[in-house]
Amino acid sequence: MLQLKPLHPFAAEASGIDLTQPLSPAQVKAVEDAMDQHAVLVFRGQPLTQDQQIAFAKSLGPLDLGLRKLKGGPHRFKYAELADISNVKADGEVADREHAKIVGNVANQLWHSDSSFQKPRAKYSMLSAVTVPGFGGETEFADLRMAYDALPEWRKKQIAGLQAVHYALHSRFLLGDTQYTEEQRTSIPPATWPLVQVDPRTGRKILFVGIHACEIEGMTVAEGRMLIADLLEHATQREFVYQHHWQVGDLVMWDNTATVHRGRWFDFAERRELRRATTEEVAA
């Protein structure tokens, strides 16, 4: 039976389920119900093989490829659906600071929701800790439901009905990472999402913002980006944030439609390896 210990109003430590084994329908429902309540679940002491991580993710929905649709290239893992969240090259060596892997590590330090730049977008992400640095490298999560609830009424009226455009490479361009072919730039068309959404499972309203949002339909680029920045600043106030300190064997799962997250600084010369599986959102 799934047991939950609150870590934050929207995050909980989960135990009582062995993620290395196939989940029963009742266990899948328990995990989904817990995600509706908390949006972030922390499973301690559950190191998973690649096969086990993929099997766990598949029990919760179809798998998402994310940026691998655009980037491709060498991959260390058995499955293309496993994202390599690390500073380690395909040959197993730690990347030097000029390597593209480091740009990805820096980009992960921006507040974002996985695959918000595509349709279908990501639903659940499941990140497994393989190697953690001695200092830093935490992951922070912010609850977009709490963020909406705390908006002043004038702001809720201002953003009602507005649509934000999310683009896969917007965050990379912000960091000066612009060396992409025209084919890569257009391989994932921008996706448009309402700023205010209603979770179909819980009925709660969500302030859906993040670094992939690059403009607001019907606004000038400058005004739209300023609004996005203001909303993201509001959504990531400390009272809405849970910070996770990684231990090897942790599996942290979150709902990308209800949260944004970011990695924190660590010394890029020190090895850090995490492995992520992600499911696509399925229309209710």
Side-chain angles (χ1 to χ4, degrees), residues 40-60:
V40 175
L41 294 181
V42 176
F43 295 87
R44 296 279 195 188
Q46 299 224 35
L48 302 181
T49 66
Q50 294 182 43
D51 292 338
Q52 290 165 343
Q53 190 171 357
I54 285 289
F56 173 52
K58 281 184 173 179
S59 70
L60 293 159

Side-chain angles (χ1 to χ4, degrees), residues 83-259:
D84 187 7
I85 311 300
S86 79
N87 60 341
V88 179
K89 298 181 294 183
D91 64 7
E93 297 297 317
V94 172
D96 62 63
R97 281 191 128 74
E98 301 302 316
H99 196 277
K101 290 287 294 184
I102 300 302
V103 178
N105 279 265
V106 176
N108 282 337
Q109 295 176 19
L110 298 165
W111 287 108
H112 65 285
S113 174
D114 292 336
S115 294
S116 71
F117 46 72
Q118 65 182 28
K119 291 190 177 183
R121 60 185 171 176
K123 179 61 173 174
Y124 299 133
S125 285
M126 289 141 278
L127 190 58
S128 178
V130 179
T131 307
V132 299
F135 177 81
E138 302 88 359
T139 301
E140 293 183 335
F141 302 89
D143 190 325
L144 301 179
R145 304 162 305 178
M146 294 175 68
Y148 179 82
D149 292 344
L151 284 172
E153 288 303 315
W154 69 267
R155 184 69 97 181
K156 290 179 180 177
K157 291 178 182 176
Q158 179 195 29
I159 65 175
L162 292 181
Q163 303 269 337
V165 178
H166 295 239
Y167 177 50
L169 291 176
H170 177 59
S171 62
R172 302 304 177 100
F173 292 167
L174 286 175
L175 297 173
D177 180 26
T178 58
Q179 304 303 308
Y180 295 92
T181 66
E182 188 61 26
E183 183 181 6
Q184 287 175 315
R185 288 168 181 255
T186 58
S187 62
I188 303 179
T192 302
W193 299 103
L195 278 176
V196 181
Q197 302 183 13
V198 177
D199 188 317
R201 292 176 59 92
T202 67
R204 293 188 67 181
K205 286 191 174 181
I206 297 163
L207 176 61
F208 195 64
V209 291
I211 200 61
H212 298 312
C214 58
E215 57 186 273
I216 303 292
E217 289 188 343
M219 284 188 173
T220 63
V221 171
E223 190 177 5
R225 288 186 179 175
M226 197 68 248
L227 175 59
I228 292 166
D230 282 347
L231 293 173
L232 191 55
E233 180 180 9
H234 165 83
T236 55
Q237 296 175 79
R238 298 316 297 178
E239 58 263 41
F240 307 143
V241 172
Y242 163 68
Q243 184 180 72
H244 182 69
H245 297 266
W246 289 97
Q247 299 174 19
V248 173
D250 284 353
L251 187 289
V252 178
M253 176 178 178
W254 65 90
D255 184 346
N256 285 288
T257 69
T259 63

